[in-house]
Amino acid sequence: MHSVFIIDNPLMDYVVHEGAAWLERFSAEPGSMRNVGHDRFLEVVSSPQGYKILPGGSGANTARALAILLREDTLGEDTPGEDTPGGSRLDTVGRVAYSGAVGDDEPGKRFILALESLGIDLGLAVKPGTTGVSAVVVTPDHETTMFTCVGASRDFGPEDLRRDFLRDSRFLYSTGFVWDAERTTSALEAAVEEARAGG
């Protein structure tokens, strides 16, 4: 059983801590999100401060948060009312399932490993090309400005859906970012039909 079936654009976030002058080099308005080519992404992450890499994209962030909340080892053995006879909250609510498309590359492999390590069941399609990436520039005022190259995430189509995961999930969750491309929109529409058919 799954608690939530999530469809979204998988991205690897490269978090850079820089000042406003760094953003000015790229004519970026603080707090904005721009779709960029891979070359521009590489320019942004060339920061002398370096970067931290995390799995990202709105849906993956939600999946990670839910998985952490549902992990058995976060529940404390003596917490009254949390565990049910014969099982944990995870057994009762179900695991998180996540779907999308990554590239056949190192960032894609890192994305898969990071989510699997949290106990998330993956219905990821591995496509030719590069995994989606986002340079997330955090300025001292804690504002985030993003430079995103969506890569293979837009290649996720209806044929890539893990319908078995979807059928045994309690909720279907997606984001508006999926509506940016024809194939991902078709995949979400197919998922909605499947969810409705399954009640």
Side-chain angles (χ1 to χ4, degrees):
M1 180 177 71
H2 291 97
S3 53
V4 183
F5 181 88
I6 297 174
I7 299 176
D8 198 39
N9 296 334
L11 302 172
M12 283 302 286
D13 287 345
Y14 291 65
V15 182
V16 175
H17 290 271
E18 277 288 356
W22 186 257
L23 288 180
E24 289 170 10
R25 293 180 52 181
F26 307 102
S27 304
E29 181 178 338
S32 64
M33 194 284 282
R34 303 171 137 200
N35 285 318
V36 298
H38 205 262
D39 289 344
R40 176 62 87 182
F41 162 78
L42 291 174
E43 286 179 47
V44 177
V45 297
S46 69
S47 161
Q49 305 296 326
Y51 48 78
K52 181 177 182 180
I53 305 175
L54 299 165
S58 181
N61 291 337
T62 300
R64 289 168 54 219
L66 288 171
I68 290 167
L69 288 170
L70 291 172
R71 277 175 62 166
E72 294 178 75
D73 60 355
T74 64
L75 292 180
E77 294 179 27
D78 299 324
T79 307
E82 294 291 354
D83 286 341
T84 58
S88 68
R89 182 190 301 168
L90 187 61
D91 295 329
T92 305
V93 177
R95 292 164 66 102
V96 176
Y98 180 88
S99 261
V102 295
D104 186 12
D105 58 7
E106 191 58 34
K109 291 172 187 168
R110 289 183 76 156
F111 187 93
I112 290 168
L113 287 172
L115 269 62
E116 283 180 341
S117 72
L118 291 171
I120 297 169
D121 288 337
L122 298 179
L124 289 173
V126 179
K127 302 287 186 175
T130 59
T131 297
V133 289
S134 185
V136 181
V137 180
V138 183
T139 47
D141 61 356
H142 307 292
E143 183 68 83
T144 58
T145 306
M146 293 176 278
F147 301 81
T148 302
C149 178
V150 293
S153 67
R154 288 192 171 172
D155 293 332
F156 186 80
E159 72 281 4
D160 298 314
L161 275 176
R162 283 293 304 267
R163 293 173 189 269
D164 55 334
F165 284 179
L166 180 53
R167 280 192 291 270
D168 78 353
S169 295
R170 297 175 67 192
F171 298 96
L172 169 63
Y173 174 96
S174 190
T175 72
F177 297 111
V178 174
W179 294 102
D180 281 352
E182 187 176 337
R183 282 182 55 72
T184 54
T185 299
S186 296
L188 181 55
E189 288 171 344
V192 169
E193 288 177 16
E194 186 79 34
R196 284 179 171 162

